[in-house]
Amino acid sequence: MKIAKKNITRFSIALLVGFVISQAFIGWRWINNSDAQHSAITQSPLLIESASLINKTELLLHASLACKEQACSPTQAPMADLISALQQQITTFTHLAAAEKSKISLVGNVVYPQLAVTLDRFTAVGDTTQLQRALLTSYTTLQLAHQNLITIVESGYLSQQQQLFHQALFIFALSIITALGLLFLIRQQRPQHSGHHTTQSQYDISQLATQLENIDAQGIQAKLNNLDTTPTERRIFANLASMYQDVEFQKRNADLYRQLYALIGYEIRGMTNTIQGGVRLIAQDAGENGAVMARDITLATNTLSDLADNYNRLISGGNQAQTGNVNFLPFMSELIVHLTAKTQHSQRTFECRLHDNLPEVIEGNATSLFWVLFLQLSNAISAQSDKYLLLNIRTEAAEEVEQTRLVFEIIFLPTNAVGLTEIQEAQWEAVDEKSGINDEWSKAILTKVNHFKSSWFQAPSPVLSSTADSDSSPLSPFQKLHIGIDITPKSFYRVDRLLENKRVMVCTDSPLQIDIMSRMLDQYGASVTVVRAANDIFKSLPTIGEYDAIIITDTLKGIQLKSFCKTLHSRLKKAAKTKLFLAASESSTVQDTHEYVDRVFYTPLIPYELIPNLTEAMQAAEEADVQTRNAFLIVEDDRVQQFLLKKLLSKQGYDAHTVSDGAQAVEYMKEQGADIVFMDCIMPGMGGIEATKLIRQREDEMDIQQPATIIGATALTSASEHKSCIEAGMDYVISKPYKNDEIIKVIKKYMAIKKIC
């Protein structure tokens, strides 16, 4: 019997040694898999060919942007060589992808055929502009496809790692059981002693197995707290407690991610419903409501696309990605756009207040930070019903010296008849959670953030003096969600006083908008005058020319905004430098008023985006004066095309003279002259090519310093046709029928060249 026990003991020890060797082998395989992942990514033929395809597409794109005249020809170097190399690379990649169907499937993938069609079309047509647009689209899609391919290659590695983890866990469990059995055998072989101590030292392994089958986390903790537990038992139960903690941690993380994915799915489903409803409405009504809804559909679709891209990065391990530098202001702009879309769907007004001490670049994971903030703020918006919302973003001191605390406050207001000071000085008191989201999942995602905390506050509404609200029922209390996150700033945004010496009139009847816009414009150096009613602007007409800009909002009450803008636009014609801008919160107002204002800015107004655009718009007065002095000539034998082109130009504020053939064009240029000529290339009698040669000949003979810009128009798409037009002396060649965006583009290019000259 003793010999049998000794043999069993030796076998158990050998088994334990085997388990240790197995664990070491699994660890070795784990480390080798990391090297294998790097090798798979760097040496995979499919990834190498995909990267080469992106590189050659980029080279062709750069060449098309830099080429001039003859160098742009698809039959001459360098374009011909680059096109040939890219076509060969497309063929190589698609053949390789077809051979490795387990990693990539090209079924339904149109990016590679489209890229090939783009190259064939350019070879046939020679339209460099069209090539550039197509290459930009294909280049972005190729990069996304390359990243997806890397994810697929990495997924095999992750699956192997998971299998190794399960194997290691299984061997660990067997090791524990074997160790317990060995412990029992060793105790059985010890000399028997009398007394109570001997009875306690002999532990029945079957009783221990029964305990382990029925024990839970609390039972393990009770065993560890029991003073009668032997040291050996304490080690066993301590290991079991550690295993239980690991399992519970994995369960908790899984539950948090399930909650997170459910919230993301809810957001995406909401936007999908908006798209579907909008499509049905447009199908029923193609009038003004249809046009307004079309913009909302576009906004929702773009938002959905961005969120889906962010979501894919998150579930692909986004929160485990290495920390990098995040451009904070563009990041905030993206977040605000998505929150604005959500509030617009519920017909609520959304304003933003960004303080001047915000960081420009921070250290962090942009994907994780975006989803934490978006879902926290979005869920808070869904939980509240107040009509007016204010997002206040600022910084304050953090617990650690090298860090800064970002503070995001979304404030829910029953009225916009309060200013920033009243909101700040309100008697805020902490209240219970209102949005149904705690901080656990946020902390789990923001793994490298030292501090994250969200809190809800409430304050009584102030007594308003306005008659509009004095007769109404008492206002509901203010609500506020306060989120604090500690981050490491790399640099801070520097406010440039771009509006120094500029005078701006702001017209709005909302005290909240007045405060936000006035403080922002003043921060950038502008002198601000506020008027609260439309009539006050008309009263200021005698001195209106002293202002550089007038900004009106679409929230003004008691006026027809379209009529008001139309009247004010006509009155401002005498004040050449004064520009009229609209701060719009709804697309319907833009549709009605855009032709009577110089530019539209959508709310909420984000300073670092608004101020440069506002500055550029105010400085465009000189360019506008140049445009009004330009003379246009349309040379077109087709009366319908002649009418359409003249209408396109008139919508842009240009008046054009028309003639029906090349001979009339040559005569008109001798007698009247024109700055920009739209010349039909093929006409009865004298065609556009011959007329262009005669016009250029006369300009050379007369030594005209600023020759006319001649824009050829043709329905033909052959490269030889375009070449003949350019050789005759035309500056550009566009395709018929005439397109509004193409017309505007060539005119703006002409304006820019003339301004430089």
Side-chain angles (χ1 to χ4, degrees), residues 388 416-417 468 508-511 532-534 553-560:
Y388 301 97
N416 64 348
T508 177
D509 56 6
S510 164
R532 298 173 181 265
T553 66
D554 61 353
T555 59
L556 286 170
K557 300 180 181 67
I559 65 167
Q560 290 290 332

Side-chain angles (χ1 to χ4, degrees), residues 445-457:
I445 295 174
L446 298 174
T447 53
K448 297 183 180 180
V449 171
N450 295 330
H451 174 88
F452 179 92
K453 184 178 181 181
S454 65
S455 307
W456 278 90
F457 296 88

Side-chain angles (χ1 to χ4, degrees), residues 341-352:
K342 185 175 184 66
T343 56
Q344 285 180 346
H345 297 158
S346 55
Q347 302 296 313
R348 291 193 277 180
T349 302
F350 184 57
E351 300 287 350
C352 281

Side-chain angles (χ1 to χ4, degrees), residues 250-299:
Q250 296 297 334
K251 281 185 177 180
R252 184 167 61 89
N253 271 356
D255 291 339
L256 289 171
Y257 277 107
R258 278 194 292 271
Q259 295 177 25
L260 176 64
Y261 298 158
L263 289 168
I264 295 173
Y266 173 79
E267 294 296 332
I268 294 178
R269 282 196 302 274
M271 282 178 285
T272 304
N273 291 336
T274 299
I275 295 173
Q276 292 173 345
V279 170
R280 284 195 295 269
L281 177 60
I282 289 179
Q284 297 171 1
D285 180 8
E288 293 184 0
N289 291 333
V292 173
M293 183 58 72
R295 180 185 176 275
D296 293 339
I297 292 173
T298 303
L299 178 62

Side-chain angles (χ1 to χ4, degrees), residues 193-266:
H193 298 282
S194 60
H196 181 68
H197 177 72
T198 303
T199 303
Q200 288 185 347
S201 65
Q202 294 178 350
Y203 201 96
D204 188 349
I205 193 167
S206 62
Q207 182 180 359
L208 179 60
T210 302
Q211 289 182 0
L212 293 177
E213 289 175 356
N214 301 315
I215 203 166
D216 56 9
Q218 293 181 349
I220 293 174
Q221 194 61 41
K223 282 287 186 182
L224 292 173
N225 295 334
N226 190 347
L227 297 178
D228 294 332
T229 303
T230 65
T232 302
E233 292 174 337
R234 193 176 300 278
R235 287 198 301 271
I236 294 172
F237 285 110
N239 288 331
L240 287 175
S242 177
M243 293 176 63
Y244 263 103
Q245 289 177 357
D246 290 341
V247 172
E248 289 299 320
F249 178 77
Q250 296 297 334
K251 281 185 177 180
R252 184 167 61 89
N253 271 356
D255 291 339
L256 289 171
Y257 277 107
R258 278 194 292 271
Q259 295 177 25
L260 176 64
Y261 298 158
L263 289 168
I264 295 173
Y266 173 79

